[in-house]
Amino acid sequence: MMNLSLSNTRLSFPSPGRMMRCLRCPVAYHTGDSCVAAGSMVLTHHIMICSSHGIAKRNGLLSSPVNVNWCFLCARGEKLLCCVLCPASFHPECLEMAMPEGAWSCRECRSGRKPHYKQIVWVKLGNYRWWPAEICNPRLVPPNIQTLRHDIGAFPVFFFGSHDYYWINQGRVFPYVENDKTPVTGQININKTFKKALEEAARRFQELKAQRESREALEQERNSRKPPPYKFIKSNKPVGKVQVHIADLSEIPRCNCKPTDEHPCSLDSQCLNRMLQYECHPQVCLTGDSCENQCFSKRLYSETEVIKTEGCGWGLKTNQALRKGDFVTEYVGEVIDSEECQQRIKRAHENRVTDFYMLTLTKDRVIDAGPKGNSSRFINHSCSPNCETQKWTVNGDVRIGLFTLCDIEAGTELTFNYNLDLVGNRRSSCHCGAENCSGFLGVRPTKEEKARNAKLKPKKRKLRPEGKRTHEYFCFCCGEGGELVICDKKDCLKAYHLLCLNLTKPPYGRWECPWHDCSVCGVPASTLCDFCPRSFCRQHEGGALTPSTLEGRPCCSNHNPLIRPNTPTTLITPDMIHRSLSGSPFTTRRK
């Protein structure tokens, strides 16, 4: 027995368009048979009287519902709870509720779900058995059927098998589901007409299903030709308690450019404000309207176009050639605080939304270009980008702009490295195709990837101060790179994947990795394996480690002494993690 509350009435709605509104209540539908409830009285192209305003007849033929004598969930009879608006019946225990007092309506009726035209239903007419039929649009039935007397809320149905028409209402129909023979179960005397009706209903149901799937595929293909909808805005919009800072003119710094300069405050000038990423103010800068450091305020954006990319969804390309350091566009959206940001991320994860458009603006403010923004929201990530984000101070407030990192030809797609500045994304695969691709969005390349990229494009080597050490770029458990949690113990350079630690969330507070605790008893370790996180205290170190043939480095029994370094084969066990993490707060830092 199928759950009839999940019926074939759940159709996909078309995209927003012309609406038809009820004259007597706030109900509105998209124009077209797939949305307007059957039984509604259409007055004009935009006005109707919905089916909820039907007039009851004295004989009750078209108003009072005829409920089925079995439960819609378990298909058994006995004591049932009946809906007062449709034929649905349930056992209270199947709904996990007590028998209510007074009138009760089912969940489908409470949600306002109504029958639709071109829907296959089971119909109860007089003393006849439940019969399969199709709901018809009154405009498409024969003229003699149209002239039959009927009330608002009634609609014509076409009976399969007998090919008759009759006017009926919601109280005497319930949806037909695929291969449904529920009202026939247990019946012996099935005549040829009724058998023919069952065959025609099943065939017509498949035809309507194929038409609906074809429309949905066409709608999906049509939607794939244009970007997902969002509200275009020209400037950042604060949300809630977020404040936009406006500086006094006396607080805005003045640059050293002169009005006699050929290109004052330009990219090639020695403008002090530009060097400090401050935008000049027209009332403060001595060059006035000739100042070329007012790109944010004047919205001097480059000519760009939203395009469909292969494998990376929608992107943004430039329609003009750009020089290194040119201003492309401002990243615009809603400015929200940290609390609102976390709530939006939580709702997105609950709804399985994977696309995020959040950029960190300041310590406690985030720009979310998801619901509102400009074309900058379509710029894709790349591990080898041609643009970068820069935070500029404009009229006392911080704003984010995108600037080119190199000369870019017209028609080139614009990219920037999210580099963990993009908030909300979990560990997502990167498809940028760059030579130094880390494999994941916002994750720095591993040592091997950096070395491979260095061979392709040599760079000047920067001297590192003595004594300053950085953490490793690969997991000490699996030896692979990615988003890592690093140890906070002094002089420990080890890093781990959350999955390798069997953790679902990053630890909070100060955290020391399992390498520093005995793998047997959990007390501080005195001897450590150089090839995996296994370690031992003085009580258990006897015979636990043996010198490796590779430079005599200590190696536990789980490893071949000939194994090369930094390629561990043993993962941390849950017991090791529990002993290491219990009893202390955690912290996490991302590499």
Side-chain angles (χ1 to χ4, degrees), residues 167-214:
W167 288 84
I168 210 73
N169 72 346
Q170 182 182 358
R172 290 176 173 265
V173 301
F174 69 88
Y176 175 101
V177 295
E178 192 167 6
N179 300 321
D180 192 9
K181 296 183 180 180
T182 301
V184 192
T185 304
Q187 297 184 10
I188 301 176
N189 53 340
I190 300 178
N191 55 32
K192 293 183 178 180
T193 305
F194 188 63
K195 184 178 180 180
K196 179 182 178 182
L198 296 177
E199 295 174 353
E200 291 180 357
R203 187 163 55 250
R204 179 58 175 165
F205 182 89
Q206 294 299 328
E207 292 177 1
L208 295 176
K209 180 181 177 181
Q211 293 177 10
R212 183 170 64 252
E213 291 176 349
S214 177

XYZ file of all heavy atoms in Angstrom, residues 167-214:
399
model
N -19.911 16.217 -12.938
C -19.335 17.257 -12.082
C -19.203 16.719 -10.662
O -20.120 16.105 -10.135
C -20.208 18.510 -12.089
C -20.131 19.267 -13.382
C -20.843 19.015 -14.522
C -19.299 20.378 -13.661
N -20.505 19.900 -15.500
C -19.553 20.769 -15.006
C -18.354 21.091 -12.941
C -18.907 21.826 -15.618
C -17.720 22.160 -13.548
C -17.985 22.519 -14.867
N -18.066 16.963 -10.044
C -17.770 16.418 -8.720
C -16.950 17.449 -7.945
O -16.536 18.467 -8.510
C -17.026 15.062 -8.838
C -17.361 14.157 -7.642
C -15.522 15.258 -8.988
C -18.759 13.595 -7.719
N -16.693 17.238 -6.660
C -15.868 18.174 -5.909
C -14.799 17.431 -5.107
O -14.698 16.200 -5.147
C -16.714 19.057 -4.992
C -17.270 18.289 -3.807
O -17.242 17.056 -3.781
N -17.765 19.002 -2.830
N -14.001 18.177 -4.375
C -12.837 17.613 -3.691
C -13.213 16.555 -2.665
O -12.431 15.649 -2.388
C -12.050 18.742 -2.993
C -10.779 18.278 -2.284
C -10.064 19.409 -1.566
O -10.506 20.564 -1.640
N -8.976 19.106 -0.884
N -14.406 16.643 -2.098
C -14.807 15.705 -1.053
C -15.046 14.299 -1.549
O -15.245 13.388 -0.731
N -15.034 14.092 -2.873
C -15.331 12.768 -3.406
C -14.217 12.251 -4.325
O -14.460 11.344 -5.123
C -16.667 12.793 -4.167
C -17.867 12.973 -3.241
C -19.162 13.088 -3.993
N -20.284 13.095 -3.069
C -20.993 12.013 -2.732
N -20.689 10.844 -3.265
N -21.992 12.091 -1.871
N -13.040 12.829 -4.234
C -11.913 12.351 -5.041
C -10.671 12.255 -4.170
O -10.501 13.011 -3.210
C -11.622 13.280 -6.248
C -12.830 13.391 -7.157
C -11.176 14.653 -5.796
N -9.819 11.290 -4.483
C -8.481 11.256 -3.897
C -7.502 10.794 -4.982
O -7.894 10.101 -5.927
C -8.411 10.379 -2.642
C -8.572 8.906 -2.875
C -7.478 8.093 -3.162
C -9.825 8.305 -2.784
C -7.613 6.733 -3.358
C -9.976 6.939 -2.975
C -8.872 6.161 -3.265
N -6.235 11.172 -4.889
C -5.297 10.968 -5.996
C -5.027 9.504 -6.306
O -4.969 8.648 -5.427
C -4.019 11.667 -5.521
C -4.465 12.612 -4.465
C -5.637 11.965 -3.803
N -4.848 9.259 -7.582
C -4.405 7.959 -8.098
C -2.875 7.985 -8.147
O -2.280 8.974 -8.550
C -4.992 7.765 -9.490
C -4.545 6.525 -10.248
C -5.361 5.398 -10.324
C -3.319 6.497 -10.916
C -4.964 4.277 -11.049
C -2.917 5.386 -11.626
C -3.739 4.274 -11.690
O -3.339 3.170 -12.398
N -2.257 6.909 -7.682
C -0.801 6.807 -7.762
C -0.441 5.701 -8.750
O -1.299 4.915 -9.168
C -0.169 6.530 -6.378
C -0.393 7.689 -5.437
C -0.699 5.233 -5.789
N 0.817 5.622 -9.112
C 1.246 4.706 -10.162
C 0.912 3.259 -9.812
O 1.180 2.797 -8.700
C 2.746 4.851 -10.393
C 3.243 4.164 -11.631
C 4.649 4.595 -11.989
O 5.265 5.338 -11.201
O 5.117 4.201 -13.070
N 0.278 2.560 -10.770
C -0.123 1.150 -10.613
C -1.035 0.961 -9.411
O -0.989 -0.066 -8.734
C 1.103 0.249 -10.496
C 2.000 0.327 -11.710
O 1.509 0.414 -12.841
N 3.310 0.313 -11.491
N -1.876 1.949 -9.126
C -2.743 1.911 -7.948
C -3.998 1.075 -8.230
O -4.682 1.282 -9.228
C -3.134 3.340 -7.566
C -3.795 3.403 -6.208
O -3.784 2.383 -5.501
O -4.313 4.473 -5.848
N -4.254 0.110 -7.339
C -5.485 -0.687 -7.391
C -6.065 -0.844 -5.994
O -6.732 -1.821 -5.682
C -5.217 -2.060 -8.008
C -4.766 -2.003 -9.468
C -4.589 -3.401 -10.039
C -4.148 -3.336 -11.505
N -3.966 -4.695 -12.085
N -5.841 0.131 -5.153
C -6.248 0.045 -3.754
C -7.745 -0.168 -3.572
O -8.161 -1.067 -2.842
C -5.802 1.311 -3.006
O -4.390 1.422 -3.103
C -6.195 1.224 -1.543
N -8.631 0.629 -4.208
C -10.067 0.403 -4.000
C -10.571 -0.933 -4.534
O -11.688 -1.337 -4.244
C -10.715 1.582 -4.749
C -9.640 2.594 -4.893
C -8.381 1.801 -5.048
N -9.748 -1.621 -5.329
C -10.171 -2.882 -5.934
C -9.729 -4.078 -5.099
O -10.194 -5.206 -5.299
C -9.586 -2.989 -7.360
C -10.227 -4.135 -8.134
C -9.768 -1.692 -8.113
N -8.825 -3.876 -4.143
C -8.256 -4.977 -3.369
C -9.357 -5.753 -2.656
O -10.182 -5.181 -1.942
C -7.248 -4.431 -2.340
O -6.250 -3.665 -3.032
C -6.593 -5.568 -1.585
N -9.378 -7.049 -2.868
C -10.352 -7.918 -2.209
C -11.655 -8.070 -2.948
O -12.493 -8.891 -2.566
N -11.885 -7.307 -4.025
C -13.122 -7.404 -4.775
C -13.036 -8.531 -5.801
O -12.015 -8.710 -6.451
C -13.440 -6.079 -5.472
C -13.672 -4.930 -4.509
C -14.082 -3.671 -5.231
O -14.371 -3.702 -6.424
N -14.126 -2.556 -4.502
N -14.105 -9.283 -5.939
C -14.116 -10.440 -6.842
C -14.834 -10.120 -8.147
O -14.339 -10.416 -9.228
C -14.790 -11.648 -6.149
C -14.027 -12.004 -4.870
C -14.861 -12.848 -7.097
C -14.673 -13.122 -4.074
N -16.008 -9.475 -8.032
C -16.821 -9.230 -9.231
C -16.368 -7.959 -9.935
O -16.889 -6.869 -9.706
C -18.302 -9.128 -8.852
C -18.529 -8.098 -7.750
O -17.596 -7.744 -7.022
N -19.772 -7.634 -7.637
N -15.348 -8.084 -10.778
C -14.856 -6.966 -11.574
C -15.286 -7.200 -13.014
O -14.825 -8.139 -13.661
C -13.323 -6.845 -11.471
C -12.895 -6.616 -10.016
C -12.807 -5.737 -12.371
C -11.402 -6.527 -9.830
N -16.196 -6.324 -13.510
C -16.708 -6.527 -14.871
C -15.719 -5.995 -15.901
O -14.692 -5.403 -15.566
C -18.085 -5.858 -15.031
C -18.033 -4.379 -14.655
O -17.009 -3.724 -14.854
N -19.139 -3.864 -14.116
N -16.054 -6.209 -17.160
C -15.155 -5.824 -18.247
C -14.963 -4.309 -18.302
O -13.867 -3.823 -18.577
C -15.705 -6.339 -19.582
C -15.696 -7.848 -19.713
C -16.196 -8.255 -21.098
C -16.155 -9.768 -21.257
N -16.645 -10.186 -22.602
N -16.029 -3.544 -18.045
C -15.934 -2.089 -18.117
C -14.954 -1.547 -17.076
O -14.116 -0.686 -17.361
C -17.311 -1.440 -17.916
O -18.225 -1.982 -18.860
C -17.237 0.060 -18.078
N -15.059 -2.087 -15.858
C -14.167 -1.605 -14.796
C -12.720 -2.051 -15.053
O -11.770 -1.305 -14.802
C -14.654 -2.132 -13.446
C -13.914 -1.531 -12.273
C -13.982 -0.180 -12.013
C -13.141 -2.320 -11.456
C -13.313 0.374 -10.942
C -12.456 -1.774 -10.393
C -12.550 -0.419 -10.127
N -12.552 -3.260 -15.570
C -11.214 -3.723 -15.911
C -10.597 -2.851 -16.997
O -9.409 -2.493 -16.952
C -11.277 -5.180 -16.366
C -9.924 -5.801 -16.647
C -10.060 -7.269 -17.035
C -8.689 -7.882 -17.307
N -8.815 -9.320 -17.697
N -11.422 -2.474 -17.982
C -10.961 -1.579 -19.041
C -10.592 -0.211 -18.461
O -9.606 0.418 -18.872
C -12.051 -1.434 -20.106
C -11.686 -0.507 -21.245
C -12.845 -0.387 -22.236
C -12.489 0.586 -23.351
N -13.635 0.754 -24.307
N -11.384 0.250 -17.467
C -11.102 1.550 -16.835
C -9.750 1.530 -16.138
O -8.996 2.500 -16.203
C -12.219 1.892 -15.854
N -9.432 0.429 -15.467
C -8.136 0.327 -14.794
C -6.988 0.367 -15.790
O -5.965 1.029 -15.548
C -8.085 -0.967 -13.976
C -9.071 -1.091 -12.801
C -8.937 -2.460 -12.143
C -8.836 0.020 -11.782
N -7.149 -0.308 -16.919
C -6.093 -0.307 -17.935
C -5.922 1.084 -18.547
O -4.791 1.561 -18.731
C -6.436 -1.330 -19.018
C -6.451 -2.769 -18.516
C -6.928 -3.742 -19.583
O -7.359 -3.254 -20.650
O -6.875 -4.969 -19.344
N -7.030 1.764 -18.857
C -6.952 3.095 -19.440
C -6.354 4.093 -18.452
O -5.574 4.970 -18.840
C -8.339 3.564 -19.884
C -8.899 2.797 -21.067
C -10.282 3.295 -21.472
O -10.802 4.199 -20.767
O -10.823 2.808 -22.467
N -6.712 3.981 -17.173
C -6.176 4.891 -16.156
C -4.664 4.727 -16.026
O -3.926 5.720 -15.941
C -6.861 4.654 -14.820
N -4.200 3.480 -16.014
C -2.757 3.239 -15.900
C -2.012 3.786 -17.110
O -0.934 4.388 -16.984
C -2.495 1.744 -15.742
N -2.592 3.607 -18.316
C -1.960 4.089 -19.540
C -1.952 5.624 -19.578
O -0.939 6.236 -19.929
C -2.697 3.520 -20.750
C -2.032 3.827 -22.079
C -2.546 2.914 -23.188
N -3.989 2.959 -23.308
C -4.799 1.937 -22.963
N -4.295 0.803 -22.483
N -6.110 2.040 -23.089
N -3.072 6.240 -19.209
C -3.147 7.700 -19.210
C -2.226 8.301 -18.151
O -1.622 9.359 -18.376
C -4.591 8.125 -18.937
C -4.817 9.634 -18.892
C -4.411 10.311 -20.178
N -4.747 11.736 -20.165
C -4.273 12.632 -21.019
N -3.415 12.244 -21.963
N -4.633 13.893 -20.942
N -2.091 7.635 -17.022
C -1.194 8.119 -15.970
C 0.246 8.186 -16.486
O 0.962 9.157 -16.231
C -1.278 7.210 -14.746
C -0.431 7.659 -13.593
C -0.937 8.537 -12.644
C 0.869 7.208 -13.448
C -0.148 8.967 -11.571
C 1.669 7.622 -12.392
C 1.147 8.505 -11.453
N 0.669 7.175 -17.223
C 2.021 7.163 -17.773
C 2.203 8.257 -18.823
O 3.268 8.863 -18.916
C 2.326 5.782 -18.376
C 2.385 4.661 -17.355
C 3.472 4.878 -16.321
O 4.515 5.461 -16.607
N 3.232 4.391 -15.107
N 1.140 8.517 -19.625
C 1.229 9.587 -20.610
C 1.413 10.943 -19.934
O 2.270 11.742 -20.336
C -0.037 9.603 -21.466
C -0.182 8.401 -22.386
C -1.487 8.443 -23.161
O -2.261 9.421 -22.975
O -1.764 7.503 -23.933
N 0.614 11.225 -18.904
C 0.722 12.495 -18.191
C 2.060 12.611 -17.475
O 2.649 13.695 -17.399
C -0.431 12.634 -17.195
C -1.828 12.735 -17.806
C -2.886 12.762 -16.703
C -1.941 13.983 -18.669
N 2.540 11.494 -16.941
C 3.843 11.498 -16.276
C 4.952 11.833 -17.264
O 5.852 12.637 -16.961
C 4.104 10.130 -15.635
C 5.444 10.031 -14.914
C 5.645 8.639 -14.335
C 7.009 8.518 -13.669
N 7.232 7.146 -13.128
N 4.904 11.257 -18.466
C 5.914 11.553 -19.475
C 5.846 13.014 -19.911
O 6.881 13.668 -20.109
C 5.725 10.631 -20.678
N 4.637 13.571 -20.055
C 4.490 14.978 -20.421
C 5.058 15.880 -19.338
O 5.725 16.873 -19.629
C 3.011 15.301 -20.655
C 2.411 14.608 -21.857
C 0.922 14.902 -21.993
O 0.360 15.754 -21.309
N 0.257 14.167 -22.890
N 4.783 15.531 -18.081
C 5.284 16.351 -16.973
C 6.804 16.313 -16.904
O 7.456 17.346 -16.708
C 4.676 15.854 -15.656
C 5.059 16.682 -14.450
C 4.251 16.286 -13.238
N 4.518 14.922 -12.822
C 3.665 13.911 -12.971
N 2.492 14.105 -13.563
N 3.955 12.705 -12.552
N 7.391 15.131 -17.081
C 8.850 15.021 -17.057
C 9.478 15.777 -18.236
O 10.557 16.364 -18.088
C 9.256 13.543 -17.088
C 8.911 12.794 -15.814
C 9.231 11.316 -15.913
O 9.521 10.854 -17.053
O 9.177 10.622 -14.888
N 8.800 15.757 -19.386
C 9.314 16.492 -20.542
C 9.291 17.993 -20.270
O 10.245 18.709 -20.602
C 8.480 16.162 -21.776
O 8.909 16.906 -22.883
